[in-house]
Amino acid sequence: MRNIKLIIEYDGTNYFGWQKQPNQRTIQETIENSIKKITKEDIDIFGSGRTDRGVHARGQVANFFTNARIPEDKIKDAINSVLPGDIVISHSEEVDEAFHSRYSAKGKEYRYIFFNRRIPSPLLRNYAYHIPQKLHFDLMEKSLADFIGTHDFKSFMASGSSVKDTIRTINNASLNKNHEIIELKINGNGFLYNMVRIIAGTLVDIGIGKISRNDIPQIIASKDRKKAGHTAPPHGLYLENVFY
Amino acid sequence: MRNIKLIIEYDGTNYFGWQKQPNQRTIQETIENSIKKITKEDIDIFGSGRTDRGVHARGQVANFFTNARIPEDKIKDAINSVLPGDIVISHSEEVDEAFHSRYSAKGKEYRYIFFNRRIPSPLLRNYAYHIPQKLHFDLMEKSLADFIGTHDFKSFMASGSSVKDTIRTINNASLNKNHEIIELKINGNGFLYNMVRIIAGTLVDIGIGKISRNDIPQIIASKDRKKAGHTAPPHGLYLENVFY
């Protein structure tokens, strides 16, 4: 069978996240149903990882096996022709049969968008986290250095998560400010459940003076979720890239 | 009575435009109902002009008369507290009783956003006009000079519009390209019905080679709507500012 890799963009606003579940509209099921229409096969797709309800993607990756003989780059057009407008396949190619979107992944890049103005934005209400308070951008930016590198990020994992190995490497993290928009880009070999959202929330807590930027090393060392900042909401989060 | 000026931002996606009409959800009526809840008065609001279904605003202006004694800058917070999230009052102030959002306006600025990539964007599907073809940006940009100045813009008015005086002055027009996003900013003393959308569509027709950039002076001189390009869709259009 052919193994097909897809790169997927979506607006997560109207979905209960990536992962298939009974009686809910999910990204995974919507794409599977579209592929079934095209190939007439009962396929499953494997995503690089789940995204929560409301989270967006500009570079989610998934793969599936098929006997359909559509040329590899036309597969995206065929699927797009039956997908709703808030999910788009931006790339399709045939890959080695050993390729698995999740297990072959070497890293991921996320983006988190903040909107910093007293009054919220109607146009960004589903696409950025509204922070009405004044933010000390310099402190937020300086604190990024303490996140970069290999650490046990247990303090930055949603409590209740069952993952045992909580050591992860963050290769890069940057903040950019353009008028009222602040963008966090973060790139690592893997992320724990809610890790980017808890880092984003902690940066906000630093920016408003609720957490000192000097405390990050201690917060990491504590391995205690309660020491880190709040979990930023899902609608500011974008899965940008999965690296292989 | 106090005359209150509002600056309004909205996501026009889920509305039948600005103007009140029976059995449709409109921006104007939604704001009026919110003000009525706050003031307990049967007020009307006067907008600087209509926006069509799907058109957005970051600087629409409206005014209304009230006896309510809320401090001028608190009025926006009070109205926002009862408005849905896709409409936000960004500014409120008390103005001279002679001020009228429409008749006092000296000019307006619009923005039109194009998304230029073969594959559409799920995140921008309601916020930018998707152009899959390759665009000759330089030709589009050079053509702007022919629009600037005082002209009879009858060729760029929706056919069927009843306006008699079709002479308008465009003070400024610029195009900016940032990766796949192209932004048109256009500023004038007034705009005919659909004028910005017809200019935007004509720029696309120039960019794809359907209209020659050298033909703009003749198209303007013809005063014939059929000579200009197509009408770009409403969801790429933003009312940015109204000048007084």
Side-chain angles (χ1 to χ4, degrees):
Chain A
M1 289 184 100
R2 300 166 74 201
N3 187 7
I4 306 296
K5 176 188 173 190
L6 306 174
I7 302 179
I8 307 160
E9 303 189 11
Y10 47 83
D11 179 338
T13 306
N14 296 317
Y15 293 89
F16 278 75
W18 170 269
Q19 172 96 343
K20 246 192 305 192
Q21 49 184 301
N23 307 317
Q24 301 293 6
R25 190 166 177 254
T26 63
I27 312 277
Q28 184 183 21
E29 187 168 30
T30 303
I31 298 174
E32 280 184 0
N33 288 342
S34 298
I35 297 175
K36 287 174 190 172
K37 273 190 205 161
I38 300 298
T39 65
K40 320 283 183 203
E41 299 166 331
D42 187 24
I43 59 96
D44 292 298
I45 65 170
F46 307 102
S48 76
R50 307 175 186 184
T51 54
D52 283 339
R53 181 179 179 181
V55 172
H56 313 293
R58 305 207 305 177
Q60 171 69 291
V61 172
N63 69 298
F64 69 98
F65 292 88
T66 181
N67 287 315
R69 306 183 67 160
I70 313 167
E72 56 180 354
D73 61 319
K74 300 289 180 207
I75 292 172
K76 67 173 183 305
D77 302 321
I79 305 174
N80 286 337
S81 73
V82 291
L83 274 175
D86 52 5
I87 305 178
V88 171
I89 314 294
S90 62
H91 180 86
S92 56
E93 67 174 302
E94 192 169 342
V95 290
D96 189 89
E97 64 174 12
F99 174 86
H100 187 290
S101 298
R102 182 168 163 206
Y103 303 121
S104 308
K106 295 211 160 41
K108 281 184 182 170
E109 182 180 55
Y110 284 94
R111 195 163 54 124
Y112 197 96
I113 304 186
F114 307 94
F115 180 71
N116 185 29
R117 184 179 73 169
R118 197 172 85 73
I119 303 280
S121 164
L123 288 155
L124 296 176
R125 71 195 185 289
N126 296 320
Y127 305 106
Y129 178 19
H130 174 229
I131 315 289
Q133 300 99 320
K134 190 175 155 41
L135 288 174
H136 292 274
F137 179 78
D138 289 356
L139 295 179
M140 294 166 71
E141 198 177 25
K142 280 178 187 151
S143 76
L144 291 178
D146 290 328
F147 290 99
I148 294 171
T150 302
H151 302 284
D152 187 333
F153 282 103
K154 188 152 190 260
S155 302
F156 294 87
M157 178 175 75
S159 53
S161 180
S162 61
V163 172
K164 291 280 172 287
D165 176 9
T166 50
I167 294 172
R168 295 291 183 278
T169 300
I170 294 181
N171 304 310
N172 249 302
S174 63
L175 273 177
N176 266 290
K177 191 171 156 64
N178 185 2
H179 300 284
E180 295 154 335
I181 303 281
I182 296 175
E183 284 198 13
L184 167 69
K185 270 195 181 174
I186 190 162
N187 173 315
N189 72 344
F191 291 89
L192 301 166
Y193 186 52
N194 277 0
M195 180 167 152
V196 180
R197 289 170 54 191
I198 300 171
I199 291 174
T202 302
L203 290 175
V204 170
D205 287 336
I206 291 170
I208 62 175
K210 205 172 155 188
I211 290 180
S212 161
R213 89 132 183 118
N214 299 314
D215 290 348
I216 299 301
Q218 287 160 249
I219 292 171
I220 293 175
S222 75
K223 300 182 198 173
D224 179 359
R225 170 67 190 92
K226 291 192 286 294
K227 296 280 192 285
H230 69 285
T231 306
H235 63 273
L237 184 63
Y238 298 73
L239 173 53
E240 289 286 287
N241 267 302
V242 187
F243 303 107
Y244 295 95
Chain B
M1 287 184 101
R2 300 166 73 200
N3 187 7
I4 306 297
K5 176 188 173 190
L6 305 175
I7 302 179
I8 307 159
E9 303 189 10
Y10 47 84
D11 178 338
T13 306
N14 296 317
Y15 293 89
F16 279 73
W18 171 268
Q19 173 95 347
K20 248 193 304 192
Q21 50 184 301
N23 306 318
Q24 301 293 6
R25 190 168 176 253
T26 63
I27 312 277
Q28 185 183 19
E29 188 170 29
T30 303
I31 298 174
E32 280 184 358
N33 288 342
S34 297
I35 297 175
K36 286 174 189 171
K37 272 189 206 158
I38 300 298
T39 64
K40 322 283 185 205
E41 298 166 330
D42 187 25
I43 60 96
D44 291 299
I45 65 170
F46 307 101
S48 76
R50 306 175 188 186
T51 54
D52 283 339
R53 182 178 178 180
V55 172
H56 313 293
R58 303 208 306 177
Q60 171 68 293
V61 173
N63 69 297
F64 68 98
F65 291 89
T66 181
N67 286 314
R69 307 184 66 162
I70 313 167
E72 57 180 353
D73 62 318
K74 299 290 180 206
I75 291 172
K76 66 172 183 305
D77 302 322
I79 304 173
N80 286 336
S81 72
V82 292
L83 275 174
D86 51 5
I87 305 178
V88 170
I89 314 294
S90 63
H91 180 85
S92 56
E93 66 175 304
E94 193 168 341
V95 289
D96 188 89
E97 65 176 11
F99 175 86
H100 188 290
S101 299
R102 183 167 164 209
Y103 302 121
S104 308
K106 296 212 162 36
K108 282 184 181 171
E109 182 180 56
Y110 284 92
R111 196 163 53 127
Y112 196 97
I113 304 186
F114 308 94
F115 181 71
N116 185 29
R117 184 180 73 170
R118 197 171 85 71
I119 303 281
S121 162
L123 287 156
L124 295 177
R125 73 196 184 289
N126 296 320
Y127 305 107
Y129 179 18
H130 174 230
I131 316 289
Q133 301 99 321
K134 190 175 153 44
L135 288 174
H136 292 273
F137 179 78
D138 288 357
L139 295 180
M140 295 166 70
E141 198 178 23
K142 279 177 188 150
S143 76
L144 291 179
D146 290 327
F147 289 101
I148 293 171
T150 301
H151 302 284
D152 186 332
F153 281 103
K154 190 154 189 258
S155 302
F156 294 87
M157 179 174 74
S159 54
S161 181
S162 61
V163 172
K164 291 281 172 283
D165 176 9
T166 50
I167 294 172
R168 295 290 184 278
T169 299
I170 294 182
N171 304 309
N172 248 303
S174 63
L175 273 178
N176 267 290
K177 192 173 154 61
N178 185 2
H179 300 284
E180 297 154 334
I181 303 282
I182 295 175
E183 284 197 14
L184 167 69
K185 269 195 182 175
I186 190 162
N187 172 315
N189 71 344
F191 292 88
L192 301 166
Y193 187 51
N194 277 359
M195 180 168 154
V196 180
R197 289 168 54 191
I198 299 170
I199 292 175
T202 302
L203 290 175
V204 170
D205 287 336
I206 290 170
I208 63 176
K210 206 173 154 189
I211 291 180
S212 161
R213 90 134 182 116
N214 300 314
D215 290 348
I216 298 300
Q218 288 161 248
I219 292 172
I220 293 175
S222 75
K223 300 182 197 172
D224 179 358
R225 169 68 190 89
K226 292 192 284 293
K227 296 280 191 284
H230 70 284
T231 306
H235 63 272
L237 184 62
Y238 298 73
L239 174 53
E240 289 286 286
N241 267 302
V242 187
F243 302 108
Y244 294 94

